[in-house]
Amino acid sequence: QVQLVESGGGLVQVGGSLRLSCAASGRTFSNYAMGWFRQAPGKERELVAGISSGGTTYYAGSVKGRFTISTDNAKNTVYLQMNSLKPEDTTVYYCAARSSPVIFTRPRDYDYWGQGTQVTVSS
């Protein structure tokens, strides 16, 4: 099995920064597309940022210019650097992996999921 373990969530002040990490167990997933999703109460789960195996990135309009997704294949880890955080960013964030090199934006297109990590931005 492929297991994803998230870390880095917590409480931050508005305008602050936070870096989420997603470590994959076992073998490398260098040929996988990776994504960070978030789901606020009463909202659909949405892809916040994604990265293909070739390094192409995707960002939701609400986070463009503020969030950056990156990978460290040697460590089997995906990061989400979040800057200029807003209260609206408060939600649960999930790391996901797709056993395909291309980014898809729909949650159902991803094969593996982390347990989620809470991010809270105080006003």
Side-chain angles (χ1 to χ4, degrees):
Q1 291 184 337
V2 175
Q3 292 183 294
L4 305 176
V5 180
E6 297 128 330
S7 62
L11 175 65
V12 297
Q13 296 181 1
V14 62
S17 297
L18 197 64
R19 190 191 198 194
L20 305 183
S21 298
C22 174
S25 65
R27 317 304 291 180
T28 180
F29 53 82
S30 60
N31 292 323
Y32 283 37
M34 304 295 299
W36 285 97
F37 289 79
R38 68 184 182 186
Q39 185 170 24
K43 301 291 186 179
E44 294 184 351
R45 187 171 298 187
E46 66 168 343
L47 179 66
V48 176
I51 186 166
S52 74
S53 63
T56 301
T57 57
Y58 164 91
Y59 297 97
S62 59
V63 306
K64 286 181 180 177
R66 299 190 298 121
F67 290 10
T68 303
I69 187 171
S70 63
T71 61
D72 185 338
N73 290 336
K75 297 180 179 180
N76 288 330
T77 301
V78 181
Y79 304 97
L80 184 66
Q81 179 67 46
M82 303 184 292
N83 299 324
S84 301
L85 284 164
K86 305 175 181 179
E88 305 94 276
D89 297 318
T90 296
T91 187
V92 178
Y93 286 73
Y94 299 88
C95 176
R98 171 177 164 80
S99 57
S100 174
V102 179
I103 300 169
F104 277 53
T105 59
R106 300 177 300 186
R108 64 176 176 268
D109 291 318
Y110 286 76
D111 303 298
Y112 309 104
W113 291 86
Q115 78 287 349
T117 185
Q118 176 71 43
V119 171
T120 302
V121 184
S122 63
S123 60

